[in-house]
Amino acid sequence: MMKLAKKDILGIADMSVDEINLILETAESFLEISMRDIKKVPTLRGKSIINLFYEASTRTRTSFEIAGKRLSADTINISASTSSTVKGETLIDTARNLEAMNPDIIVLRHSAAGAPHMLASLVKQSIINAGDGAHEHPSQALLDMMTIREKKGKIAGLKVALVGDILHSRVARSNIYGLSKMGAEVVVAGPATMLPRDIEKMGVAAFTKIEDAIADADVVMMLRIQLERQKQNIFPSLREYAQHYCLTRKNIKLARPDAIVMHPGPMNRGVEISPDIADDPGISVILDQVNNGVAVRMALLYLLSGGNE
Amino acid sequence: MMKLAKKDILGIADMSVDEINLILETAESFLEISMRDIKKVPTLRGKSIINLFYEASTRTRTSFEIAGKRLSADTINISASTSSTVKGETLIDTARNLEAMNPDIIVLRHSAAGAPHMLASLVKQSIINAGDGAHEHPSQALLDMMTIREKKGKIAGLKVALVGDILHSRVARSNIYGLSKMGAEVVVAGPATMLPRDIEKMGVAAFTKIEDAIADADVVMMLRIQLERQKQNIFPSLREYAQHYCLTRKNIKLARPDAIVMHPGPMNRGVEISPDIADDPGISVILDQVNNGVAVRMALLYLLSGGNE
Amino acid sequence: MMKLAKKDILGIADMSVDEINLILETAESFLEISMRDIKKVPTLRGKSIINLFYEASTRTRTSFEIAGKRLSADTINISASTSSTVKGETLIDTARNLEAMNPDIIVLRHSAAGAPHMLASLVKQSIINAGDGAHEHPSQALLDMMTIREKKGKIAGLKVALVGDILHSRVARSNIYGLSKMGAEVVVAGPATMLPRDIEKMGVAAFTKIEDAIADADVVMMLRIQLERQKQNIFPSLREYAQHYCLTRKNIKLARPDAIVMHPGPMNRGVEISPDIADDPGISVILDQVNNGVAVRMALLYLLSGGNE
């Protein structure tokens, strides 16, 4: 088996197709561990993994923690609210201190784009970017690609529509990089204020009407409207947003008959996605994404530990 | 050994006497594990238990966490303050997401009565209710029954007095169900504003004077006054409450000479219980309750995992 | 090997030179475990260690948690913000409740001086003081002594200068006790308002000029200015403090040419220490302190568990 020649997982932008394929194949092979009666293998026994989260998170932190524990690693959680950041220490000093405690991998979520990259250049441990500002969220894009491949048998040649706040979404950014590399046609839709100006440079067609994006799509990926950003007035009202961009029984008909619907969660039901779509097991693969997420994170922890050497 | 034919532990109301006996006997057999030098058995190795707490808790969360670890399960804590509930996700979506990560058991504490029941109907995992609003707290009632049986050799035929805010107490409700089923005579006392209107329908005699309830009682269970609810003005003042309802050296004399005193904790010393009673090892079995709590939770985790199949 | 004849680690004040040496030697022997590929030994399997932190902490809590996990103990974290202290329970009742769950060791950080001592007298478990108010922080002083011995080959006969807010520093207090016992000459410097009145009674020379303290020092230990205490107006401004007490390229020249610089962290760069000093691997041993911290805590957990009986 190929070895992952990376110290860190910082983003999809700097990942090769071979590396993506290696991670997805490793994740696929790990999928069955979580289905066993005894969901634990000794692979990473004696390894220490620190989840360093400067932003609140249930699913991503829990997913990494479960992934680590199923590989028998020791997992240590640090959340910013209870950390010495209260005392004003810089991220750099926190990281150097953690480094000196000799963990093997640090999983970092931070509100500043580039924070994991800075850490990766400073400490000897492997860094996994679990979301940095509006920049990248590579493990999410990997689990999304894994889910598409699982449901569609391939990624190349598919039309994937991303709908919502493309500008502020690290999920969108990582998926655009990844899906394009893997040969998919990526289109996006959202209010003009939520589309990056240079989006076409990423090889992506952009629309302000959801209908234009999801027409004939094989995959429709709805993004979460970040309610906490509403105060910035980048869109007039949730009601108006939902009127134009909510995925519904009506507009989903524009997509291919066998289209799948994805969402990175947490969902705002009735805002960006109508509940009957979200809960329709014939269309929605949202919970498959979560399930695959544990396997993708197991693969990342395993590959960064040199587990396949 | 009998098998527990339940997917979930939601309350004592829907539990049979045989089920209660099975749980208590299993817990009794686990008691000695916590006394060993190496307090760990491999029984639940490879099982994942999520403690999902939407209300602050030291003792219950810690008790479940220790119970899980002593059985070699992996335990994952999620507290609402650091969770994606910040982002407005519904409990249902959180639960479905956790389900997709394939844990074995979810231990839920939630301020809404019925929250664990809703979850149990939606997800395939076993749900343990660790307290839902003012509704039920079954593991507390089970550890209380275990403690009574340990100290008195039986439950049937005993007179048990519950004193305090019966109306808002999930501990009272679960104990009333359980102790009645097990054949005890249950009486309650508290200010009229803290007594449920239909309390007699539960087969329970209700008094507004503590003296009337604890007279000839074998067991006196004092409930915590929830200071955080004081703003609702359901009782005039702590001082006045204490004057009428505090368990003291004086009024305890009304109970049977060999009566035991219980409290689910955390105690408000000097409000509902006088410190010298709480700390008298000849009367108070409060710390036995805590000790038995770990064993009861081990039993629940074990039985729900089909450990005795 | 000698046995540690103590139930608790409460402070350096009541520790003998033999005990300090035993702990340091044990820690030195544990150092290599954290360098292994599989950083885990089964020594404390089945032991439960509770980290009970009433003050925010990243490094100390993480260090104890990693130490416990590397010895295969089960570690349970309780932080005050999510604990039943919200409900007004006393520390004593919390401790007695934890005791009843049969952990082996409770690691306590508390804002009240003496809190660990009170606990130690009440519960049968071993208590480790992880910082009590402005009183003691023994594991910090032990890792400091370990680092000095590692870098200098000895402690006796060295001149060690502590600079900063001596009055409010538990790190300073524990180090003064420890370094004096081990035969070092300890001097301190800080603004007059930050020096204890009876400091000379501790056998320590005190200065208000940093230059007087660090002259010919073998070790310069800078203390953190606690920004959160600034409101108390014990010093006029950070800028003024830095002007007089910051360790810089210039004043460090007064120390011995082979002097080492220490800091317990978290650092306020540019306030008490200039960044180029902090980051100079030829002078600064700050990250060695952190690394040794895990080993010292492993040693404490091991020795208190009777591991060397």
Side-chain angles (χ1 to χ4, degrees), chain B:
Chain B
M1 203 184 209
M2 211 185 89
K3 193 187 166 305
L4 187 68
K6 278 186 138 51
K7 175 175 133 344
D8 311 288
I9 302 292
L10 301 176
I12 305 292
D14 67 350
M15 214 175 262
S16 71
V17 169
D18 280 353
E19 287 171 332
I20 293 172
N21 276 323
L22 172 64
I23 294 166
L24 298 189
E25 280 154 28
T26 308
E28 284 156 11
S29 76
F30 279 151
L31 211 44
E32 60 86 25
I33 294 173
S34 292
M35 302 301 156
R36 293 183 193 174
D37 190 40
I38 294 181
K39 291 177 272 291
K40 204 174 180 85
V41 292
T43 318
L44 297 191
R45 206 177 68 79
K47 304 285 184 185
S48 315
I49 298 165
I50 293 180
N51 293 317
L52 179 60
F53 276 63
Y54 286 84
E55 290 184 338
S57 162
T58 296
R59 78 190 57 219
T60 306
R61 195 266 296 166
T62 303
S63 183
F64 271 109
E65 185 175 353
I66 288 179
K69 284 177 155 71
R70 293 211 173 132
L71 294 169
S72 297
D74 288 324
T75 56
I76 295 105
N77 294 320
I78 303 176
S79 67
S81 58
T82 60
S83 87
S84 75
T85 55
V86 173
K87 299 183 188 169
E89 190 181 44
T90 64
L91 172 62
I92 296 176
D93 278 332
T94 298
R96 281 187 180 140
N97 272 279
L98 295 178
E99 177 185 33
M101 296 183 200
N102 294 291
D104 296 89
I105 296 176
I106 298 174
V107 179
L108 176 70
R109 168 164 290 191
H110 200 280
S111 59
H117 308 70
M118 185 183 66
L119 240 63
S121 69
L122 288 171
V123 304
K124 62 178 183 286
Q125 279 78 23
S126 290
I127 305 293
I128 299 179
N129 179 1
D132 62 325
H135 182 222
E136 282 237 33
H137 191 353
S139 64
Q140 177 70 41
L142 288 162
L143 72 87
D144 289 336
M145 290 188 274
M146 181 179 175
T147 306
I148 293 171
R149 198 154 89 163
E150 180 186 64
K151 300 298 171 187
K152 293 288 169 194
K154 60 171 185 179
I155 297 174
L158 296 181
K159 180 179 175 184
V160 183
L162 278 64
V163 181
D165 183 358
I166 310 295
L167 181 61
H168 298 96
S169 171
R170 53 196 177 205
V171 176
R173 198 168 308 266
S174 289
N175 265 301
I176 290 170
Y177 290 131
L179 292 166
S180 302
K181 281 178 202 225
M182 300 299 281
E185 176 199 356
V186 183
V187 301
V188 303
T193 51
M194 291 182 174
L195 295 174
R197 290 183 190 200
D198 56 349
I199 183 80
E200 284 85 3
K201 289 187 190 158
M202 295 177 84
V204 168
F207 303 94
T208 53
K209 293 199 170 173
I210 183 173
E211 291 80 5
D212 293 337
I214 64 181
D216 296 317
D218 299 281
V219 178
V220 179
M221 193 182 296
M222 302 308 295
L223 301 173
R224 198 175 79 81
I225 280 298
Q226 295 177 289
L227 302 179
E228 58 274 28
R229 289 208 173 117
Q230 233 198 310
K231 50 176 180 271
Q232 298 169 14
N233 290 317
I234 51 177
F235 56 96
S237 76
L238 279 185
R239 177 180 296 208
E240 192 172 335
Y241 181 86
Q243 256 170 357
H244 290 94
Y245 295 101
C246 187
L247 189 68
T248 61
R249 281 278 169 214
K250 192 176 165 205
N251 57 24
I252 188 68
K253 290 196 180 115
L254 297 168
R256 290 179 59 93
D258 60 349
I260 57 172
V261 170
M262 308 178 80
H263 192 296
M267 284 187 277
N268 300 301
R269 292 166 169 272
V271 180
E272 70 260 4
I273 189 165
S274 94
D276 60 331
I277 299 280
D279 298 333
D280 183 338
I283 309 174
S284 167
V285 298
I286 294 172
L287 296 176
D288 301 273
Q289 292 173 267
V290 178
N291 183 38
N292 289 335
V294 174
V296 156
R297 280 141 191 156
M298 288 171 77
L300 295 177
L301 297 174
Y302 171 77
L303 291 168
L304 289 179
S305 303
N308 61 340
E309 277 172 25

Side-chain angles (χ1 to χ4, degrees), chain A residues 47 84 89 93 97 102 104, chain C residues 37 39 58-59 269 290:
Chain A
K47 304 285 183 186
S84 76
E89 189 180 45
D93 278 332
N97 272 279
N102 293 292
D104 296 90
Chain C
D37 190 40
K39 290 178 272 289
T58 297
R59 76 191 57 221
R269 291 166 168 269
V290 178

